[in-house]
């Protein structure tokens, strides 16, 4: 029964998206009826499942199914075009830009490796610990969220240090972040 209702919601999401797309492509002032009908179908499709499936499951399934139907309609209009020719003399085969040509020496390579690895990890840990110490709430929740932020911040620091051509700026920011994060954590303590 739920599968049939979900398919009905997917179809209503696709139909509402089709009406809205038609209204937005129409000349100014001509698509008001389609726009109203599209939004009315979306609102009705969000409300009626609460009565059929329950007040918790109904809106959840409706949001997922309506979005899936709209995404299906939007993705059905995707066209793949060949990439434009690169500028004269560039001769690139991919759309990704080449990394910045920068002078590389042994100490720059070593420092970049240290920044992307251990120094970036220490700065990420400082941010995660500072979050766990300073944000109000249950200690378990603070520890979990603080621990989950560490890999995200570490990955961001890694990507930034490898892409940035100014290595001393990255060094200053990551070392400063580590010192600041651990410093404010020590001042507060885990209460």
């Amino acid at each position: 029964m739920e599968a049939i209702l979900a398919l009905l919601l997917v179809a209503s999401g696709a139909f509402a998206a089709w009406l809205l797309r038609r209204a937005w492509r129409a000349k100014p002032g001509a698509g008001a009826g389609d726009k109203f009908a599209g939004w009315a179908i979306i609102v009705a499709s969000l409300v009626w499942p609460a009565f059929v499936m329950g007040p918790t499951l109904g809106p959840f399934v409706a949001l997922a199914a309506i979005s899936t139907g709209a995404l299906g309609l939007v993705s059905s209009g995707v066209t793949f075009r060949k990439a434009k020719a690169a500028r004269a003399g560039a001769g690139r085969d991919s759309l990704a830009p080449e990394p910045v040509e920068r002078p590389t020496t042994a100490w720059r390579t070593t420092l970049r490796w240290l920044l992307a690895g251990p120094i970036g990890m220490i700065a990420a840990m400082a941010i995660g610990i500072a979050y766990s110490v300073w944000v109000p709430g249950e200690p378990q929740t603070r520890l979990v969220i603080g621990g989950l932020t560490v890999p995200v911040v570490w990955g961001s620091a890694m990507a930034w240090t490898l892409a940035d051509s100014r290595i001393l700026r990255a060094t200053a920011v990551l070392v400063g972040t580590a010192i600041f994060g651990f410093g404010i954590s020590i001042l507060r303590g885990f209460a």
Side-chain angles (χ1 to χ4, degrees):
M1 180 67 176
E2 283 86 11
I4 295 171
L5 294 174
L7 288 175
L8 183 62
L9 288 168
V10 168
S12 67
F15 183 63
W18 178 76
L19 286 172
L20 290 172
R21 182 171 65 179
R22 197 170 101 177
W24 289 328
R25 286 183 176 172
K27 293 179 182 176
D34 287 340
K35 191 184 300 184
F36 177 77
W39 284 113
I41 289 172
I42 290 174
V43 170
S45 297
L46 287 171
V47 172
W48 71 262
F51 296 107
V52 177
M53 294 185 210
T56 305
L57 182 64
F60 174 76
V61 170
L63 280 172
I66 291 169
S67 301
T68 302
L71 181 64
L73 178 85
V74 170
S75 64
S76 70
V78 171
T79 57
F80 294 99
R81 291 183 268 177
K82 206 165 185 148
K84 292 182 181 179
R87 283 179 274 157
R92 287 190 328 212
D93 291 333
S94 72
L95 294 175
E98 293 296 321
V100 177
E101 294 295 329
R102 54 184 171 237
T104 177
T105 60
W107 77 269
R108 282 182 175 268
T109 304
T110 304
L111 183 58
R112 201 171 294 282
W113 179 84
L114 287 171
L115 288 173
I119 296 173
M121 179 193 62
I122 291 169
M125 286 175 54
I127 291 174
I129 291 171
Y131 179 90
S132 298
V133 168
W134 281 95
V135 172
E138 293 296 320
Q140 297 87 354
T141 305
R142 296 184 333 215
L143 285 172
V144 167
I145 293 174
L148 290 174
T149 59
V150 171
V152 174
V153 174
W154 187 12
S156 301
M158 190 180 300
W160 175 52
T161 56
L162 293 176
D164 195 4
S165 58
R166 295 186 178 173
I167 189 104
L168 296 178
R169 173 177 56 189
T171 305
V173 169
L174 288 179
V175 170
T177 300
I179 291 170
F180 178 75
F182 285 127
I184 64 170
S185 299
I186 291 169
L187 289 177
R188 172 79 183 256
F190 191 75

